[in-house]
Amino acid sequence: MQINDDIDTKEFHIGVVGGGSWGTALANLLTSKGYVIDLWVYEKDIKDQILETGENKVFLPDVKLSANLHPTNDIAKAVSGKNMVVVVVPSHLMRSVTSKMANAVSKEAIIVTASKGIENKTHLTMTGVLKETLPEIPHHRLVAISGPSFAREVARYLPTVVTVASEDIETAALAQKVFATLYFRVYSSQDVIGVELGGALKNVIAIGAGVVDGLELGLNARAALITRGMTEIRRLGLKLGANPRTFTGLAGIGDLILTCTGNLSRNHTVGVKIGQGMKVNDILSEMRMVAEGVKTAKSAYNLSRKLGVDMPIFHEAYRILHEDFSPKEAIHRLMTRDLKPELDEE
């Protein structure tokens, strides 16, 4: 499909909400295309640091930021008058943060979520939350961006490939055009739920892969966990109406492989430390950045039980993370389940 060239995206005014590593990296990427970006940062010290040094030393150290990236603690300033607003906050803060910008954002704006998670109480993905917090924004102007993309590598201009999804293919194509650079390739999709589920659920499997590595159970075990983890992600996706082909793509197996094997993965790091004997609360207390898989494990556990979807790996991950269950016992339970065919019946 051809991108609608009647809309000049070069003239877009863009705001980014969230000054963590991914939000900062995406904001800086957009400045490389000539956009002047207002970046909402929650912490005053980080805003001042970016203004004074040109770096976000807490969340994205040793990366020089563009002079066209303007940090602010005023969320209304960051989003008002913008053609596109990119929201990059921890998933458990999506509702509270976007509620605060509802009166300032244009009804005509495209809202892009780069956050990956499933809300604990409602079991909504991030676009689902946005539909409730930004009711004036038409659903066809909501976009999810996902795929194998460590913030630090994007910030270093290393080749990265992702997917943007919207129920309206023209909206997806506009977002595709805005984000694409020589080193950041963007594909489009209309499977919003599939792209979001892949991005959110892979974080839980990444913690599991880290546990396997922390226990030194070997590469065979890690490969099996990743493969069977994707089977469970696909099961839940099909139940929720996703296109199964999405899980073979960038937002599915691509993001899963990266997060389960890359040494920049916070979720994998959490799992390694659990496997080495540390307690979850102690691990999280040492981290300033969020490991989304911890909260998503709870959502996946409850949602799968509600819908009757068989997800044994996710259930064991939930028990390890939220019920202080022994990782070794969890592995034993998985390995001694009843024998059955590998492939699900379609």
Side-chain angles (χ1 to χ4, degrees), residues 186 223 297:
V186 185

Side-chain angles (χ1 to χ4, degrees), residues 6-23:
D6 294 336
I7 300 177
D8 186 3
T9 57
K10 292 180 181 179
E11 300 301 319
F12 266 28
H13 298 286
I14 303 174
V16 176
V17 175
S21 59
W22 191 216

Side-chain angles (χ1 to χ4, degrees), residues 23 57 86 101-102 161 167 179 213 303 306 329 335 344:
K57 295 183 178 181
V86 185
M101 68 187 221
V161 188
E167 64 182 51
F179 280 98
D213 291 341
L303 182 57
K306 176 183 176 182
E329 180 62 23
M335 291 296 292
D344 291 345

